[in-house]
Amino acid sequence: ATFKMPKDHEIFERREFSELQIVREMKDRAWQQIGSSGGGNHFVEFGIVEITSVMNEYNLAPGQYLGVLSHSGSRGLGANIARHYTKVAMDKCKLPQEAKHLAWLDLNTEEGQEYWLAMNLAGDYASACHHQIHERMAIGLRETPLAMIENHHNFAWKEKDANGNEIIVHRKGATPAGKGVLGIIPGSMATPGFIVRGKGLAESINSASHGAGRTMSRTKAKQTILQGHVNKFLKEAGVELIGSGLDEAPMAYKDIHQVMNYQKELVEVLGSFMPKIVRMCGDEKFQEVD
């Protein structure tokens, strides 16, 4: 999806858009897509935020607030950067066929440095997408947001380990949970997500779960979950679904309360977000079934 009238952003002034060929080729597409969501489990939801612990970072008192939660990514820009440098890595780092996807690029090489720059640009672009999604919502509602909490995942960071060594930490399906770092851990379209503050546990590489996690694949969900069951689940949760697919049904995910209980050592819960109006990728409207 693209916008006919995209909102501009300072990220397009970054030198990577002129110096890196793969990024330069994607600039027009990136400009058209900025502020949009993506496929799969990407979503935008309205819901009720319940702050249970004073959030001094924003001077937010305990109580209920209207919240907008979005999950998106770096769109076609990030996908093409990943595809391009994966191929470069496999060409440069020859491995047996069964292990070819473990190919890597050394950061001390030109290709490695290029990828690092392009990857970080994609991460910053993903952040810009989120900010524009929320800006558009705020303008439409004629409201001024009190606070915005954001976290990356499926990304790589340069960090220091417990001994002070610089390391690269890749969090696939995990969210940063360094000491004092704020984050969001979503559940599903009909179960709560949680606002958390990291405790900085070195043994978990300063990380917590990214979300509830799936109990079944997307294919199995589409084959086994009935729309009637989803309708009932959503109705009981008081959730209005604007669009989605069966692969994102609530029962395709683990029990978020159990998941949060398992990671008490990793994060402190500051509040929750309960979805009420949900727009996910896909246009399947679950019909009422008796």
Side-chain angles (χ1 to χ4, degrees), residues 19-20 85 88 92 105-117:
E19 294 180 0
L20 301 178
Y85 286 102
V88 172
K92 296 282 290 186
L105 289 171
D106 193 315
L107 276 176
N108 292 320
T109 64
E110 183 179 349
E111 295 87 356
Q113 281 298 308
E114 269 190 24
Y115 175 57
W116 183 257
L117 291 170

PDB file of all heavy atoms in Angstrom, residues 19-20 85 88 92 105-117:
ATOM      1  N   GLU A  19      24.106   7.449  -1.108  1.00  0.00           N
ATOM      2  CA  GLU A  19      25.396   6.758  -1.171  1.00  0.00           C
ATOM      3  C   GLU A  19      25.282   5.242  -1.344  1.00  0.00           C
ATOM      4  O   GLU A  19      26.224   4.611  -1.819  1.00  0.00           O
ATOM      5  CB  GLU A  19      26.207   7.076   0.096  1.00  0.00           C
ATOM      6  CG  GLU A  19      26.606   8.553   0.195  1.00  0.00           C
ATOM      7  CD  GLU A  19      27.398   8.851   1.452  1.00  0.00           C
ATOM      8  OE1 GLU A  19      27.634   7.920   2.252  1.00  0.00           O
ATOM      9  OE2 GLU A  19      27.782  10.023   1.645  1.00  0.00           O
ATOM     10  N   LEU A  20      24.167   4.646  -0.935  1.00  0.00           N
ATOM     11  CA  LEU A  20      24.006   3.189  -1.038  1.00  0.00           C
ATOM     12  C   LEU A  20      23.012   2.867  -2.150  1.00  0.00           C
ATOM     13  O   LEU A  20      21.856   3.301  -2.104  1.00  0.00           O
ATOM     14  CB  LEU A  20      23.516   2.602   0.290  1.00  0.00           C
ATOM     15  CG  LEU A  20      24.411   2.841   1.513  1.00  0.00           C
ATOM     16  CD1 LEU A  20      23.765   2.251   2.755  1.00  0.00           C
ATOM     17  CD2 LEU A  20      25.797   2.237   1.301  1.00  0.00           C
ATOM     18  N   TYR A  85      21.233  -7.896   0.990  1.00  0.00           N
ATOM     19  CA  TYR A  85      22.464  -8.221   1.716  1.00  0.00           C
ATOM     20  C   TYR A  85      22.533  -9.683   2.151  1.00  0.00           C
ATOM     21  O   TYR A  85      23.625 -10.214   2.384  1.00  0.00           O
ATOM     22  CB  TYR A  85      22.645  -7.262   2.899  1.00  0.00           C
ATOM     23  CG  TYR A  85      23.074  -5.885   2.425  1.00  0.00           C
ATOM     24  CD1 TYR A  85      22.163  -4.836   2.359  1.00  0.00           C
ATOM     25  CD2 TYR A  85      24.378  -5.646   1.995  1.00  0.00           C
ATOM     26  CE1 TYR A  85      22.549  -3.584   1.888  1.00  0.00           C
ATOM     27  CE2 TYR A  85      24.772  -4.405   1.533  1.00  0.00           C
ATOM     28  CZ  TYR A  85      23.856  -3.373   1.476  1.00  0.00           C
ATOM     29  OH  TYR A  85      24.247  -2.143   1.007  1.00  0.00           O
ATOM     30  N   VAL A  88      24.156 -11.037  -0.896  1.00  0.00           N
ATOM     31  CA  VAL A  88      25.575 -10.662  -0.876  1.00  0.00           C
ATOM     32  C   VAL A  88      26.348 -11.558   0.082  1.00  0.00           C
ATOM     33  O   VAL A  88      27.439 -12.049  -0.242  1.00  0.00           O
ATOM     34  CB  VAL A  88      25.747  -9.173  -0.475  1.00  0.00           C
ATOM     35  CG1 VAL A  88      27.225  -8.839  -0.267  1.00  0.00           C
ATOM     36  CG2 VAL A  88      25.158  -8.260  -1.542  1.00  0.00           C
ATOM     37  N   LYS A  92      29.439 -14.111  -0.762  1.00  0.00           N
ATOM     38  CA  LYS A  92      30.779 -13.864  -0.185  1.00  0.00           C
ATOM     39  C   LYS A  92      31.212 -14.953   0.771  1.00  0.00           C
ATOM     40  O   LYS A  92      32.404 -15.231   0.908  1.00  0.00           O
ATOM     41  CB  LYS A  92      30.775 -12.524   0.564  1.00  0.00           C
ATOM     42  CG  LYS A  92      30.528 -11.294  -0.304  1.00  0.00           C
ATOM     43  CD  LYS A  92      31.759 -10.879  -1.075  1.00  0.00           C
ATOM     44  CE  LYS A  92      32.825 -10.298  -0.172  1.00  0.00           C
ATOM     45  NZ  LYS A  92      33.976  -9.758  -0.943  1.00  0.00           N
ATOM     46  N   LEU A 105      28.258 -11.382   7.048  1.00  0.00           N
ATOM     47  CA  LEU A 105      29.135 -10.349   6.520  1.00  0.00           C
ATOM     48  C   LEU A 105      29.949  -9.784   7.678  1.00  0.00           C
ATOM     49  O   LEU A 105      29.384  -9.371   8.691  1.00  0.00           O
ATOM     50  CB  LEU A 105      28.323  -9.216   5.866  1.00  0.00           C
ATOM     51  CG  LEU A 105      27.632  -9.554   4.555  1.00  0.00           C
ATOM     52  CD1 LEU A 105      26.700  -8.418   4.134  1.00  0.00           C
ATOM     53  CD2 LEU A 105      28.648  -9.843   3.451  1.00  0.00           C
ATOM     54  N   ASP A 106      31.275  -9.785   7.532  1.00  0.00           N
ATOM     55  CA  ASP A 106      32.154  -9.239   8.563  1.00  0.00           C
ATOM     56  C   ASP A 106      31.993  -7.718   8.609  1.00  0.00           C
ATOM     57  O   ASP A 106      31.989  -7.053   7.566  1.00  0.00           O
ATOM     58  CB  ASP A 106      33.602  -9.605   8.220  1.00  0.00           C
ATOM     59  CG  ASP A 106      34.555  -9.357   9.379  1.00  0.00           C
ATOM     60  OD1 ASP A 106      34.455  -8.286  10.009  1.00  0.00           O
ATOM     61  OD2 ASP A 106      35.400 -10.224   9.641  1.00  0.00           O
ATOM     62  N   LEU A 107      31.841  -7.165   9.816  1.00  0.00           N
ATOM     63  CA  LEU A 107      31.675  -5.712   9.944  1.00  0.00           C
ATOM     64  C   LEU A 107      32.933  -4.946   9.535  1.00  0.00           C
ATOM     65  O   LEU A 107      32.880  -3.739   9.333  1.00  0.00           O
ATOM     66  CB  LEU A 107      31.294  -5.355  11.388  1.00  0.00           C
ATOM     67  CG  LEU A 107      29.807  -5.475  11.721  1.00  0.00           C
ATOM     68  CD1 LEU A 107      29.563  -5.199  13.194  1.00  0.00           C
ATOM     69  CD2 LEU A 107      28.979  -4.531  10.863  1.00  0.00           C
ATOM     70  N   ASN A 108      34.053  -5.645   9.411  1.00  0.00           N
ATOM     71  CA  ASN A 108      35.295  -4.990   8.988  1.00  0.00           C
ATOM     72  C   ASN A 108      35.466  -4.969   7.466  1.00  0.00           C
ATOM     73  O   ASN A 108      36.517  -4.600   6.961  1.00  0.00           O
ATOM     74  CB  ASN A 108      36.505  -5.681   9.630  1.00  0.00           C
ATOM     75  CG  ASN A 108      36.537  -5.462  11.131  1.00  0.00           C
ATOM     76  OD1 ASN A 108      36.247  -4.367  11.608  1.00  0.00           O
ATOM     77  ND2 ASN A 108      36.873  -6.497  11.880  1.00  0.00           N
ATOM     78  N   THR A 109      34.408  -5.398   6.758  1.00  0.00           N
ATOM     79  CA  THR A 109      34.461  -5.363   5.294  1.00  0.00           C
ATOM     80  C   THR A 109      33.554  -4.233   4.785  1.00  0.00           C
ATOM     81  O   THR A 109      32.685  -3.736   5.511  1.00  0.00           O
ATOM     82  CB  THR A 109      33.977  -6.692   4.688  1.00  0.00           C
ATOM     83  OG1 THR A 109      32.589  -6.885   5.031  1.00  0.00           O
ATOM     84  CG2 THR A 109      34.808  -7.860   5.212  1.00  0.00           C
ATOM     85  N   GLU A 110      33.763  -3.863   3.529  1.00  0.00           N
ATOM     86  CA  GLU A 110      32.937  -2.812   2.938  1.00  0.00           C
ATOM     87  C   GLU A 110      31.469  -3.217   2.914  1.00  0.00           C
ATOM     88  O   GLU A 110      30.576  -2.426   3.232  1.00  0.00           O
ATOM     89  CB  GLU A 110      33.434  -2.504   1.518  1.00  0.00           C
ATOM     90  CG  GLU A 110      32.681  -1.364   0.841  1.00  0.00           C
ATOM     91  CD  GLU A 110      33.204  -1.046  -0.550  1.00  0.00           C
ATOM     92  OE1 GLU A 110      34.277  -1.558  -0.921  1.00  0.00           O
ATOM     93  OE2 GLU A 110      32.524  -0.278  -1.265  1.00  0.00           O
ATOM     94  N   GLU A 111      31.209  -4.482   2.527  1.00  0.00           N
ATOM     95  CA  GLU A 111      29.834  -4.962   2.461  1.00  0.00           C
ATOM     96  C   GLU A 111      29.183  -4.981   3.848  1.00  0.00           C
ATOM     97  O   GLU A 111      28.006  -4.628   3.999  1.00  0.00           O
ATOM     98  CB  GLU A 111      29.780  -6.373   1.867  1.00  0.00           C
ATOM     99  CG  GLU A 111      30.222  -6.465   0.415  1.00  0.00           C
ATOM    100  CD  GLU A 111      31.732  -6.643   0.267  1.00  0.00           C
ATOM    101  OE1 GLU A 111      32.456  -6.615   1.304  1.00  0.00           O
ATOM    102  OE2 GLU A 111      32.183  -6.815  -0.875  1.00  0.00           O
ATOM    103  N   GLY A 112      29.967  -5.376   4.845  1.00  0.00           N
ATOM    104  CA  GLY A 112      29.454  -5.408   6.212  1.00  0.00           C
ATOM    105  C   GLY A 112      29.094  -4.022   6.718  1.00  0.00           C
ATOM    106  O   GLY A 112      28.048  -3.824   7.348  1.00  0.00           O
ATOM    107  N   GLN A 113      29.953  -3.057   6.419  1.00  0.00           N
ATOM    108  CA  GLN A 113      29.671  -1.683   6.825  1.00  0.00           C
ATOM    109  C   GLN A 113      28.463  -1.115   6.082  1.00  0.00           C
ATOM    110  O   GLN A 113      27.651  -0.398   6.656  1.00  0.00           O
ATOM    111  CB  GLN A 113      30.901  -0.797   6.569  1.00  0.00           C
ATOM    112  CG  GLN A 113      31.985  -0.928   7.621  1.00  0.00           C
ATOM    113  CD  GLN A 113      31.483  -0.493   9.000  1.00  0.00           C
ATOM    114  OE1 GLN A 113      30.936   0.586   9.162  1.00  0.00           O
ATOM    115  NE2 GLN A 113      31.695  -1.354   9.989  1.00  0.00           N
ATOM    116  N   GLU A 114      28.352  -1.452   4.807  1.00  0.00           N
ATOM    117  CA  GLU A 114      27.193  -1.017   4.020  1.00  0.00           C
ATOM    118  C   GLU A 114      25.903  -1.553   4.633  1.00  0.00           C
ATOM    119  O   GLU A 114      24.921  -0.825   4.799  1.00  0.00           O
ATOM    120  CB  GLU A 114      27.300  -1.539   2.573  1.00  0.00           C
ATOM    121  CG  GLU A 114      27.995  -0.607   1.623  1.00  0.00           C
ATOM    122  CD  GLU A 114      27.847  -1.087   0.176  1.00  0.00           C
ATOM    123  OE1 GLU A 114      26.872  -1.835  -0.124  1.00  0.00           O
ATOM    124  OE2 GLU A 114      28.695  -0.715  -0.647  1.00  0.00           O
ATOM    125  N   TYR A 115      25.928  -2.852   4.942  1.00  0.00           N
ATOM    126  CA  TYR A 115      24.721  -3.463   5.514  1.00  0.00           C
ATOM    127  C   TYR A 115      24.365  -2.830   6.855  1.00  0.00           C
ATOM    128  O   TYR A 115      23.193  -2.552   7.132  1.00  0.00           O
ATOM    129  CB  TYR A 115      24.882  -4.977   5.662  1.00  0.00           C
ATOM    130  CG  TYR A 115      23.701  -5.605   6.367  1.00  0.00           C
ATOM    131  CD1 TYR A 115      22.412  -5.431   5.860  1.00  0.00           C
ATOM    132  CD2 TYR A 115      23.858  -6.330   7.541  1.00  0.00           C
ATOM    133  CE1 TYR A 115      21.313  -5.970   6.511  1.00  0.00           C
ATOM    134  CE2 TYR A 115      22.763  -6.862   8.198  1.00  0.00           C
ATOM    135  CZ  TYR A 115      21.497  -6.685   7.680  1.00  0.00           C
ATOM    136  OH  TYR A 115      20.408  -7.199   8.330  1.00  0.00           O
ATOM    137  N   TRP A 116      25.367  -2.581   7.685  1.00  0.00           N
ATOM    138  CA  TRP A 116      25.114  -1.989   9.004  1.00  0.00           C
ATOM    139  C   TRP A 116      24.439  -0.622   8.849  1.00  0.00           C
ATOM    140  O   TRP A 116      23.470  -0.307   9.546  1.00  0.00           O
ATOM    141  CB  TRP A 116      26.416  -1.871   9.786  1.00  0.00           C
ATOM    142  CG  TRP A 116      26.210  -1.347  11.182  1.00  0.00           C
ATOM    143  CD1 TRP A 116      26.457  -0.092  11.629  1.00  0.00           C
ATOM    144  CD2 TRP A 116      25.704  -2.089  12.297  1.00  0.00           C
ATOM    145  NE1 TRP A 116      26.123   0.006  12.956  1.00  0.00           N
ATOM    146  CE2 TRP A 116      25.662  -1.198  13.389  1.00  0.00           C
ATOM    147  CE3 TRP A 116      25.270  -3.407  12.469  1.00  0.00           C
ATOM    148  CZ2 TRP A 116      25.207  -1.596  14.655  1.00  0.00           C
ATOM    149  CZ3 TRP A 116      24.812  -3.795  13.726  1.00  0.00           C
ATOM    150  CH2 TRP A 116      24.789  -2.905  14.797  1.00  0.00           C
ATOM    151  N   LEU A 117      24.923   0.182   7.906  1.00  0.00           N
ATOM    152  CA  LEU A 117      24.342   1.503   7.663  1.00  0.00           C
ATOM    153  C   LEU A 117      22.914   1.384   7.129  1.00  0.00           C
ATOM    154  O   LEU A 117      22.006   2.099   7.558  1.00  0.00           O
ATOM    155  CB  LEU A 117      25.202   2.289   6.677  1.00  0.00           C
ATOM    156  CG  LEU A 117      26.571   2.754   7.166  1.00  0.00           C
ATOM    157  CD1 LEU A 117      27.389   3.310   5.996  1.00  0.00           C
ATOM    158  CD2 LEU A 117      26.434   3.808   8.264  1.00  0.00           C
TER     159      LEU A 117
END
